[in-house]
Amino acid sequence: MSENKVTIADVAREAGVSKGLVSFALNDRPGVSAESRVRILEIAERLGWTPSLRARSLSTRRSFALGLVIARDPEVLGSDPFFPSFIAGVETVLAPQGLALVLSVVPDETTEMRTYRALVSDGRVDGVFLSDLRHNDPRIPLLQELGLPAVTLGRPDTESPFPCISVDDTPGVAETVRYLVSLGHRRIAHVAGSPALLHGSRRRSAFDTALREAGLPAGQSIETDFSVAAGADAARRLLTQDSPPTAIVFANDPMAIAGLGVAHELGLRVPDDVSITGFDDIDFTRYVYPALTTVRTAPSDWGRAAGRTLLDLMEHGTAPDVDLPAGRLVIRGSAGTPVRP
Amino acid sequence: MSENKVTIADVAREAGVSKGLVSFALNDRPGVSAESRVRILEIAERLGWTPSLRARSLSTRRSFALGLVIARDPEVLGSDPFFPSFIAGVETVLAPQGLALVLSVVPDETTEMRTYRALVSDGRVDGVFLSDLRHNDPRIPLLQELGLPAVTLGRPDTESPFPCISVDDTPGVAETVRYLVSLGHRRIAHVAGSPALLHGSRRRSAFDTALREAGLPAGQSIETDFSVAAGADAARRLLTQDSPPTAIVFANDPMAIAGLGVAHELGLRVPDDVSITGFDDIDFTRYVYPALTTVRTAPSDWGRAAGRTLLDLMEHGTAPDVDLPAGRLVIRGSAGTPVRP
DNA sequence: CTGAAAGCGCTTACAG
DNA sequence: CTGAAAGCGCTTACAG
């Protein structure tokens, strides 16, 4: 129990001033003479005083913590390094401010909504990061109703009072498709992410648009839940057809890696028989065989930007949206010229 | 700001009793007549009263939150689904108790130690989960000095006042080696994890022991930091030797998957030319090619057990150690009979 | 069984 | 610029 034994009262007594004045001095507020301020700070330092977060929380009605609630299927969560990187990025901005991150991992949407309510009813957090945006996302009106500041990771498809950090996935998908077309591919399929998630459906429509712009007929798309298992299933379906695609654009890397496995299992050579591309450039991509051609994104940059924006919002009541640079295609060995176009 | 508008004082006024009595009733403490209790609870319910965590925190000196600080390299963190699963397991026991999880991801050990100090000096958490145990782990004496309750994930190699949740990795490694030997392998190598981490060095000595028990000469071991990149490097070194091993036992799955990639890249067939095994049975293992033979562990069980034990400890001041069942070998296609033993 | 009061450790008007 | 006091919303001895 080495928790703050020394309180503001001790400092006040030692300095011969009131607790109020000490508080003012410590919080750098005007109305304290320079010499008093210096003396008070000195005494606080000497006494080893550190503020009681609990007392400050009670009187200021703030919790000095930010929240993140993740409602992904554990399987999808585990195979995708987005959140670890994102969180590491967030922490770089929270830690210096003495703010903590409260994390919830919940199994379903009902629990998720309940969790947000509990978070504000308990006054656990001063703001939250909203990730994995969905169509007509019910969390946005909920948070608005709860009066909880938030920043959304991605641009919502509905009216939103919250600033957003977004990155356009379109250029990365378009670049991927153009690259495949330039290699000679004409039958290109897409293993899409969850259509309920904005980034899932946006990557998909980017794919459709890119094909059209290349003058190709619409390609096959298979919807998944972004999981490795679903990616493998989709790849199997696509590749065991009569006239299989010569290239598959996967909406994320874990599914693409599963696709690589399926191709090998079916005795297909990558990229000779089928080219495979991913999205995100997770660490695995460099070490599978052939190494995965994919689009690089930077989750920790999202984390940093989101953290800064949320702080901004809480401090000033408003904060500008942030557009992160679009991901670029990283060319490796998993895509190449089709042997039988 | 829909935070508790109604306070205990409102309930007391409405019930015509003192705040103290309300508090006693709400906390189910003796010394309140049955009828008073019922009436008070009813009124609280009707008024929509919910306790103020901040006020309770200040007066009880508890934070109603548990902490987890992770000091892994972001790369290793991202490719390993241990923490997502572990955290999901932890949450299943914290959430029903109204406890929150405070998560810190820190870049190095210095920051890590500072983070623990800040956590208790701020009174952020009532206890912590200590993961990735190291040799002579400095966090154990630190937490002891700070008086912070903790549970360790794994059995420390030093005196520890904290209960531990552990699982013996030895049977899994031994089973793996015996299996490989039964297939006819004689030159078996190990790509070990970080020697600084207990589970890294324990898996390694289990490997050494297993070889010895099989009557085989000591095998090659290469130490890594558990990262995918290091796993790939190690595999490359092992497989490009004059007399390469016919089987490689990797200390975790991400490295094994990288090893699979390296083997393919070198033109080696798996398992004909080289057998590969992993550890943990992450989701990817089923979907790479060939599917990975590995040892199944259950991080979410760790999470549940750790959560329960930490609650126990905080409530009773003491809690028994928990031994989780050892992981079993899961046989898939990545290990087989060596073509040239 | 119940009430009145002090206390947790800060912040914040309000006077002067 | 400074002090004295009230308040944040609970819990907890202490009396009765």
Side-chain angles (χ1 to χ4, degrees):
Chain A
M1 209 61 73
S2 81
E3 248 173 71
N4 334 317
K5 294 302 306 168
V6 19
T7 77
I8 209 174
D10 300 317
V11 178
R13 190 179 327 109
E14 186 78 10
V17 298
S18 70
K19 293 192 310 179
L21 199 59
V22 173
S23 176
F24 272 62
L26 294 167
N27 288 307
D28 234 22
R29 297 177 51 155
V32 187
S33 69
E35 40 186 342
S36 295
R37 182 184 307 273
V38 172
R39 196 161 46 88
I40 290 171
L41 292 179
E42 208 176 85
I43 290 173
E45 165 91 43
R46 176 159 55 78
L47 261 41
W49 175 84
T50 110
S52 160
L53 208 63
R54 307 211 245 254
R56 292 184 67 192
S57 283
L58 183 57
S59 54
T60 62
R61 296 156 184 280
R62 300 216 299 138
S63 58
F64 305 97
L66 267 22
L68 174 63
V69 6
I70 304 178
R72 284 196 189 180
D73 183 285
E75 185 188 337
V76 180
L77 185 58
S79 58
D80 186 344
F82 175 82
F83 280 111
S85 300
F86 174 78
I87 289 173
V90 166
E91 298 269 14
T92 63
V93 1
L94 299 206
Q97 307 275 348
L99 299 176
L101 180 70
V102 169
L103 176 68
S104 284
V105 176
V106 300
D108 53 57
E109 193 176 316
T110 313
T111 313
E112 186 185 19
M113 302 295 267
R114 198 185 324 128
T115 301
Y116 281 113
R117 290 186 182 281
L119 245 24
V120 348
S121 130
D122 286 349
R124 281 277 191 200
V125 297
D126 300 323
V128 292
F129 301 99
L130 214 56
S131 71
D132 288 342
L133 244 42
R134 304 194 278 267
H135 286 286
N136 224 310
D137 204 309
R139 296 172 296 175
I140 292 178
L142 173 68
L143 294 178
Q144 194 168 11
E145 170 203 334
L146 295 174
L148 192 63
V151 21
T152 61
L153 307 187
R155 194 176 307 283
D157 62 351
T158 53
E159 204 58 43
S160 164
F162 306 119
C164 72
I165 313 297
S166 55
V167 47
D168 188 357
D169 286 345
T170 307
V173 174
E175 197 178 350
T176 303
V177 170
R178 280 200 305 272
Y179 174 63
L180 291 171
V181 170
S182 78
L183 290 172
H185 292 276
R186 294 297 174 266
R187 285 196 314 284
I188 307 175
H190 181 47
V191 173
S194 169
L197 296 177
L198 288 189
H199 66 293
S201 60
R202 280 181 184 151
R203 285 175 194 177
R204 183 195 165 145
S205 52
F207 172 78
D208 292 340
T209 304
L211 279 195
R212 199 175 323 118
E213 289 179 353
L216 293 179
Q220 268 185 297
S221 277
I222 297 188
E223 287 172 355
T224 71
D225 60 0
F226 270 127
S227 73
V228 184
D233 284 349
R236 199 180 317 276
R237 274 173 57 193
L238 288 170
L239 295 175
T240 54
Q241 297 174 118
D242 278 348
S243 173
T246 62
I248 306 179
V249 174
F250 287 81
N252 73 1
D253 287 340
M255 295 198 295
I257 291 170
L260 232 40
V262 169
H264 285 141
E265 185 188 331
L266 295 175
L268 299 171
R269 292 162 305 165
V270 178
D272 294 355
D273 298 321
V274 59
S275 284
I276 284 178
T277 69
F279 207 100
D280 280 341
D281 196 25
I282 67 177
D283 281 307
F284 268 120
T285 58
R286 254 159 297 224
Y287 303 101
V288 291
Y289 186 78
L292 197 65
T293 290
T294 187
V295 175
R296 176 168 303 161
T297 59
S300 67
D301 289 350
W302 275 54
R304 266 186 293 276
R308 276 195 292 257
T309 297
L310 191 45
L311 291 187
D312 236 41
L313 175 64
M314 294 183 329
E315 191 165 351
H316 307 110
T318 171
D321 291 348
V322 176
D323 281 300
L324 263 18
R328 296 297 311 266
L329 184 67
V330 178
I331 294 177
R332 299 205 182 91
S334 69
T337 304
V339 167
R340 292 162 305 185
Chain B
M1 209 61 74
S2 79
E3 246 174 71
N4 335 317
K5 294 302 305 168
V6 18
T7 76
I8 209 173
D10 300 317
V11 178
R13 191 178 326 108
E14 188 77 8
V17 298
S18 71
K19 294 191 310 178
L21 199 59
V22 174
S23 175
F24 271 61
L26 295 166
N27 288 307
D28 234 24
R29 296 177 53 153
V32 187
S33 69
E35 41 186 340
S36 294
R37 183 184 307 274
V38 171
R39 195 162 47 86
I40 290 171
L41 292 181
E42 208 176 84
I43 290 174
E45 165 91 45
R46 175 159 56 77
L47 263 39
W49 176 83
T50 112
S52 160
L53 208 64
R54 308 210 244 257
R56 293 184 67 192
S57 283
L58 183 57
S59 54
T60 63
R61 298 157 186 278
R62 301 214 299 138
S63 58
F64 305 97
L66 267 22
L68 174 63
V69 5
I70 303 178
R72 284 195 190 181
D73 184 284
E75 185 189 335
V76 180
L77 185 58
S79 58
D80 185 346
F82 176 82
F83 280 110
S85 299
F86 174 79
I87 290 173
V90 166
E91 298 269 13
T92 62
V93 2
L94 299 206
Q97 307 275 347
L99 299 175
L101 180 70
V102 169
L103 175 69
S104 283
V105 176
V106 300
D108 52 56
E109 194 176 315
T110 313
T111 313
E112 186 184 21
M113 302 295 268
R114 199 185 323 129
T115 300
Y116 282 112
R117 291 188 181 280
L119 244 26
V120 346
S121 132
D122 285 350
R124 281 277 192 200
V125 297
D126 300 323
V128 292
F129 300 98
L130 214 55
S131 71
D132 288 341
L133 244 42
R134 304 194 279 266
H135 285 286
N136 223 312
D137 203 309
R139 296 172 298 176
I140 291 177
L142 173 67
L143 294 177
Q144 195 168 10
E145 170 202 333
L146 295 174
L148 192 63
V151 21
T152 60
L153 308 187
R155 194 177 306 284
D157 62 352
T158 54
E159 204 58 43
S160 164
F162 306 120
C164 72
I165 314 297
S166 56
V167 47
D168 189 357
D169 286 346
T170 308
V173 174
E175 198 179 351
T176 303
V177 170
R178 279 199 304 272
Y179 175 63
L180 291 171
V181 170
S182 77
L183 290 172
H185 292 276
R186 294 298 174 265
R187 286 196 312 284
I188 307 175
H190 181 46
V191 173
S194 169
L197 297 176
L198 288 189
H199 66 292
S201 59
R202 281 184 184 150
R203 287 175 193 177
R204 183 195 165 146
S205 51
F207 173 78
D208 291 341
T209 304
L211 280 195
R212 200 175 323 119
E213 289 179 352
L216 294 178
Q220 268 185 296
S221 278
I222 297 188
E223 287 172 354
T224 71
D225 60 1
F226 269 126
S227 74
V228 184
D233 284 349
R236 200 180 317 277
R237 273 174 58 194
L238 288 170
L239 295 174
T240 54
Q241 296 174 119
D242 278 347
S243 173
T246 61
I248 306 179
V249 174
F250 287 81
N252 73 2
D253 288 339
M255 294 198 295
I257 291 170
L260 233 40
V262 168
H264 285 143
E265 185 189 330
L266 295 175
L268 298 172
R269 292 163 305 164
V270 178
D272 295 355
D273 298 321
V274 60
S275 284
I276 284 179
T277 69
F279 206 101
D280 279 342
D281 196 26
I282 68 176
D283 281 308
F284 268 121
T285 57
R286 253 160 295 224
Y287 304 101
V288 292
Y289 186 78
L292 197 65
T293 291
T294 187
V295 174
R296 177 168 303 160
T297 58
S300 67
D301 289 350
W302 276 54
R304 266 187 292 276
R308 277 195 291 258
T309 297
L310 191 45
L311 290 186
D312 235 42
L313 175 64
M314 294 184 330
E315 190 165 349
H316 306 111
T318 170
D321 290 349
V322 176
D323 281 300
L324 261 20
R328 296 297 311 266
L329 185 67
V330 178
I331 294 178
R332 299 205 183 91
S334 69
T337 304
V339 167
R340 291 161 307 184

